[in-house]
DNA sequence: TATGTTTTTATGTCTATACATATCATCAAG
DNA sequence: CTTGATGATATGTATAGACATAAAAACATA
């Protein structure tokens, strides 16, 4: 009868009990009915609290088996992946964009393999630079599957980056993002004012529309960039 | 009256309408009552569907103002941050852990600044290596605030890593994670079998318990590591 | 003993209803 | 023209009750 009744209060109470080892890792916790009686609220309210804690990886729930405290909570870090324009302007810096190169090419072998494209697949290859206060911030190397997005051939990328165009024009269903540390090659070093061989924080992104690859993009960030999240 | 009624069906339908530009980016979509009539279900069901889409960053909802399609839908990428042991064993590789060094030290200035610790703060400094199939996978450099976790002085880290111990023993409320690309120094190069100067994918983590810093850890990953997510 | 079959049960979802609350829109007063 | 009060309204949350479903547990059969 602890006179708590909102689902977020229940979440807090449950988290507190996990933290103070009232309900230690791996243990089973009371069922929804019992908890709803204790908290003096409806089962649906307890259900929402428990469901959200399970989504956060704190609890592990199974029908009939009950709810347990996860032994090794898989924390889900949420990273904001904003538009590069938003990322730069939100720091107060001025955003500037330049299109370096734009060419229609048959997809190279590595790209065909990566995206599962047929031989002779036509692609549009773009290279762009994004500046923050006129300092090079991000080098973008992008390939677009022309077969999947025919209209891209007539798009003009001189004022807006391809990402902004794609988000507006092309729907997608799946995205894969990866983060890694790479070596700056001559090209990247030049564009980002680095030395060849310096480490470069790199993200790669592939997007599909119902299984059909749309675009592959590699983003190389300037010196000292780091991606942060707090939760 | 599209005869769909489960909340996940509604999510799919809404997503489809966003993709085919029935509801273009930035547009306002019908209210919950109207949609519940269209789908022939209760408002609560529509509410759950819309709430989850909003959590995913697809929709933007405001009381009274209604629900809009987010102009830039990929706002958040979720990464699972598993235990290193889990990460390695889930690939089928064998996990091995070694404690390299363990020392009680007064916190160095950079750490005091980073965590907001007082002068002369006592810390436990640990260096560990995590192997996948006997190949060095991750080098862990960790500092634990002894003041916040006195019992850590008697903990034995020879068989289990400090992360596993901390998760079991010490509750925390806040985490900050950052990703970056760093240069391998002599120490890291040796432990991870790299050359000095090679790029190293690095994550740093700070955890707090209600504002009180618990631990700072820097994880350096072996050559070619990348962090992936798909959604 | 081993293998299906049935029962039981905790979670999963849905409904109908109610009230709370933020905020947009309108209109009035200064 | 600005500021402040007042509705109207869409989302936010809660409730009680119902049925669905997965899976553990108990039972029955070969």
């Amino acid at each position: 009868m602890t006179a708590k009744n909102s689902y977020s209060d229940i979440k807090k109470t449950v988290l507190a009990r996990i933290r103070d080892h009232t309900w230690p890792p791996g243990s089973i916790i009371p069922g929804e009915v019992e908890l709803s009686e204790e908290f003096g609220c409806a089962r649906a309210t307890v259900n929402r609290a428990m469901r959200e804690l399970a989504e956060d990886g704190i609890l592990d729930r199974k029908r009939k088996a009950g709810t347990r405290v996860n032994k090794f909570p898989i924390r889900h870090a949420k990273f904001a992946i904003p538009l590069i324009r938003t990322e730069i302007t939100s720091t107060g810096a001025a955003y500037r964009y330049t299109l370096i190169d734009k060419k229609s090419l048959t997809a190279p072998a590595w790209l065909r393999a990566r995206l599962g494209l047929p031989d002779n697949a036509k692609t549009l290859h773009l290279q762009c630079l994004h500046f923050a206060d006129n300092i090079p911030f991000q080098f973008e190397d992008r390939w677009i599957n022309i077969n999947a997005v025919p209209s891209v051939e007539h798009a003009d990328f001189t004022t807006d980056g391809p990402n902004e165009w794609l988000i507006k024009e092309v729907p997608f269903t799946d995205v894969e993002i990866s983060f890694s540390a790479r070596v700056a090659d001559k090209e990247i070093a030049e564009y980002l004012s680095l030395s060849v061989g310096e480490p470069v924080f790199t993200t790669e992104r592939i997007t599909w529309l119902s299984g059909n690859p749309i675009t592959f993009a590699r983003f190389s960030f300037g010196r000292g960039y780091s991606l942060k999240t707090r939760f």
Side-chain angles (χ1 to χ4, degrees), chain A residues 29-221:
Chain A
I29 73 177
E32 295 186 350
V33 177
E34 194 178 324
L35 287 176
S36 67
E37 279 157 13
E38 185 201 335
F39 294 128
C41 67
R43 183 172 79 89
T45 307
V46 174
N47 180 277
R48 178 163 176 192
M50 308 301 257
R51 175 161 37 84
E52 291 190 0
L53 288 170
E55 273 162 20
D56 293 347
I58 308 289
L59 299 176
D60 197 24
R61 323 190 74 202
K62 255 197 273 181
R63 275 174 162 134
K64 160 76 185 175
T67 300
R68 316 189 146 266
V69 180
N70 208 322
K71 262 190 191 141
F72 300 116
I74 296 177
R75 304 293 309 226
H76 290 273
K78 251 192 183 175
F79 285 87
I81 310 277
L83 268 191
I84 182 70
R85 176 198 295 277
T86 315
E87 183 167 10
I88 288 172
T89 54
S90 71
T91 67
Y95 172 70
R96 188 162 70 80
Y97 158 80
T98 309
L99 177 63
I100 298 169
D101 193 35
K102 177 182 153 189
K103 278 199 192 81
S104 287
L105 294 172
T106 25
W110 66 267
L111 184 66
R112 292 203 311 271
R114 193 89 183 253
L115 298 185
L117 294 172
D119 287 4
N120 303 321
K122 277 180 71 186
T123 56
L124 189 67
H125 181 218
L126 298 158
Q127 294 187 307
C128 324
L129 251 185
H130 304 270
F131 295 84
D133 280 341
N134 282 323
I135 296 163
F137 183 84
Q138 186 196 69
F139 174 72
E140 174 175 356
D141 194 76
R142 182 180 289 272
W143 302 77
I144 301 174
N145 178 7
I146 293 184
N147 217 37
V149 197
S151 61
V152 78
E153 288 204 279
H154 315 107
D156 170 40
F157 292 114
T158 52
T159 56
D160 287 336
N163 195 27
E164 301 191 20
W165 186 87
L166 284 164
I167 282 178
K168 264 193 230 126
E169 301 294 325
V170 188
F172 57 90
T173 50
D174 299 274
V175 184
E176 185 185 283
I177 299 183
S178 75
F179 297 154
S180 59
R182 293 171 62 95
V183 189
D185 60 20
K186 189 156 169 289
E187 186 174 55
I188 289 174
E190 273 174 11
Y191 286 125
L192 294 177
S193 313
L194 305 175
S195 315
V196 173
E198 263 195 82
V200 176
F201 185 79
T202 304
T203 84
E204 295 182 342
R205 208 181 304 174
I206 307 178
T207 63
W208 292 266
L209 174 59
S210 13
N212 202 22
I214 304 287
T215 180
F216 168 86
R218 177 180 295 146
F219 304 96
S220 304
F221 287 85

Side-chain angles (χ1 to χ4, degrees), chain A residues 7-46:
Chain A
Y7 82 95
S8 56
D9 289 338
I10 293 175
K11 279 177 78 169
K12 278 180 204 150
T13 306
V14 170
L15 276 173
R17 286 189 191 173
I18 294 172
R19 288 206 194 96
D20 69 13
H21 286 70
T22 306
W23 293 335
S27 65
I28 198 160
I29 73 177
E32 295 186 350
V33 177
E34 194 178 324
L35 287 176
S36 67
E37 279 157 13
E38 185 201 335
F39 294 128
C41 67
R43 183 172 79 89
T45 307
V46 174

